[in-house]
Amino acid sequence: MMDFHCHLDLYPDARNVYAEAQKKMDFVWLVTTSPRGFAATSKVLRQTESIVVSPGLHPEVAAQKASELELLLHQMADTVAIGEVGLDGSARYRQHFDLQTQIFSAVIKRSQSLGGRVLSIHSRAAAKEVLDILEQFPGFGTAVLHWFTDSAPLLRRASSMDCWFSVGPAMLSSANGRKLAEIMPMSRVVSESDGPFAKASGNPIMPWEASNVAEQLSSIWCLPVEAVNAELLRNGETLRSKLTSKTVHGS
Ligand code: MN
C-alpha cells in the first residue's frame, strides 16, 4: 500500500496514524504545508525508509506564510522531495494569486538550480499557470500533480510534459475526476489519500485507504483490479526511487 500525498502530521492522532502507517504501509509521502511546519513535524514524525517527510508552502496559506519562503528555499538544499506547493486560483484564494505565483516560481527556479527536485503540486483552478511556470524552468525535476481537477486539454498538456498524477478516492468520487482519470497516462499514476483534508463518507481518508483507488480505476480503465494494483505498485516503486534518491535527477 502506498500513499503519495498525505498530511499525516495534521490528523488529530498523528502519532498513532504514523505508527500504524509505519507498520502497514510500503510507502507514505508526508507533505507539509509550511516550512516551519516541516521543521517541527520532522522532529516528531521522523523520516524512515518507508515514510518521506517533505517541506512545502501550501498556496492556501501563501499570505500567512510568505515570510517563510527563504526557509523553504534553504530546506530544499537537503531534500529531494518537496511539497505541498503550487497555485490555487479558486475564488477563495485568488486574491493572493500574485503572491502565490512569486512563491511557486521561486520554488521551481530553486529546484532547477539545485539540479532537479520531485514536487507534489496543487493546481486547483490554476493548472495552466502551474504548467506555464514549470515550462519556464527546464530541468526543475519531476512534477506530481495531486488531485488534478482542471480540464482535459490541460491534463493532456501536463501529460506531454511528463507530469505524474496522484489520485485519491475523493477525486474519483466526482464525475469530472473519473473523466480525467480515464485519460491520464497509466504508467504515471500513483495513489494518494490527501488525508485528513480529503474525506469519504464524512471521515478523513487514512493513508492505508489510498490504495482503494484501484477498484475505481479498474472500472474506469476497464482492467482487472489485480492489473491496476500491479500497475500502481510498479509506478509507485518508480516514483519512490526518485523521491528517495540521494542524488539529484531530471524527470
Ligand atoms: Mn494536500
Side-chain angles (χ1 to χ4, degrees):
M1 287 188 289
M2 292 182 157
D3 181 354
F4 282 86
H5 185 105
C6 182
H7 300 280
L8 201 152
D9 53 328
L10 301 181
Y11 288 88
D13 51 348
R15 281 171 200 260
N16 289 332
V17 177
Y18 175 87
E20 197 153 349
Q22 183 66 24
K23 254 188 279 172
K24 283 186 180 169
M25 307 276 298
D26 299 301
F27 184 74
V28 178
W29 184 354
L30 191 170
V31 290
T32 62
T33 56
S34 77
R36 281 200 199 149
F38 167 73
T41 291
S42 43
K43 277 183 202 144
V44 186
L45 308 177
R46 298 241 172 227
Q47 177 149 323
T48 67
E49 214 148 275
S50 56
I51 302 182
V52 160
V53 185
S54 68
L57 206 167
H58 200 293
E60 289 176 10
V61 294
Q64 299 95 298
K65 310 280 183 182
S67 65
E68 296 180 34
L69 173 62
E70 285 308 314
L71 177 57
L72 176 60
L73 299 178
H74 182 73
Q75 291 165 339
M76 284 176 69
D78 303 319
T79 161
V80 172
I82 311 298
E84 180 169 357
V85 293
L87 298 175
D88 192 311
S90 64
R92 195 166 163 199
Y93 302 105
R94 188 145 194 110
Q95 54 174 325
H96 299 300
F97 200 73
D98 288 347
L99 182 59
Q100 293 178 32
T101 303
Q102 283 171 33
I103 292 169
F104 185 59
S105 299
V107 168
I108 301 303
K109 187 179 181 195
R110 175 81 167 142
S111 300
Q112 180 196 50
S113 71
L114 288 166
R117 290 293 180 261
V118 184
L119 306 107
S120 186
I121 300 176
H122 177 110
S123 61
R124 187 198 286 140
K128 182 196 174 292
E129 292 84 354
V130 163
L131 298 177
D132 286 347
I133 291 171
L134 297 179
E135 262 178 5
Q136 278 174 40
F137 301 100
F140 73 85
T142 302
V144 185
L145 301 181
H146 114 85
W147 199 335
F148 188 91
T149 54
D150 221 299
S151 67
L154 282 168
L155 190 145
R156 291 200 185 88
R157 183 179 162 208
S159 178
S160 75
M161 291 170 62
D162 293 331
C163 293
W164 287 67
F165 299 89
S166 54
V167 306
M171 171 181 168
L172 297 183
S173 68
S174 84
N176 189 49
R178 289 191 294 271
K179 197 187 82 188
L180 292 167
E182 201 177 339
I183 57 167
M184 282 179 182
M186 209 180 283
S187 63
R188 276 182 271 131
V189 172
V190 291
S191 52
E192 71 166 31
S193 66
D194 200 19
F197 296 136
K199 297 188 168 60
S201 320
N203 298 314
I205 297 174
M206 304 308 287
W208 43 89
E209 292 170 332
S211 306
N212 293 353
V213 288
E215 278 176 35
Q216 291 156 296
L217 288 173
S218 155
S219 69
I220 294 166
W221 290 345
C222 303
L223 282 175
V225 71
E226 299 76 25
V228 175
N229 270 319
E231 181 71 26
L232 292 176
L233 191 64
R234 195 160 48 232
N235 301 346
E237 288 299 347
T238 303
L239 189 56
R240 176 199 191 150
S241 68
K242 286 172 181 279
L243 277 164
T244 54
S245 73
K246 294 231 164 56
T247 50
V248 290
H249 46 71
S251 56

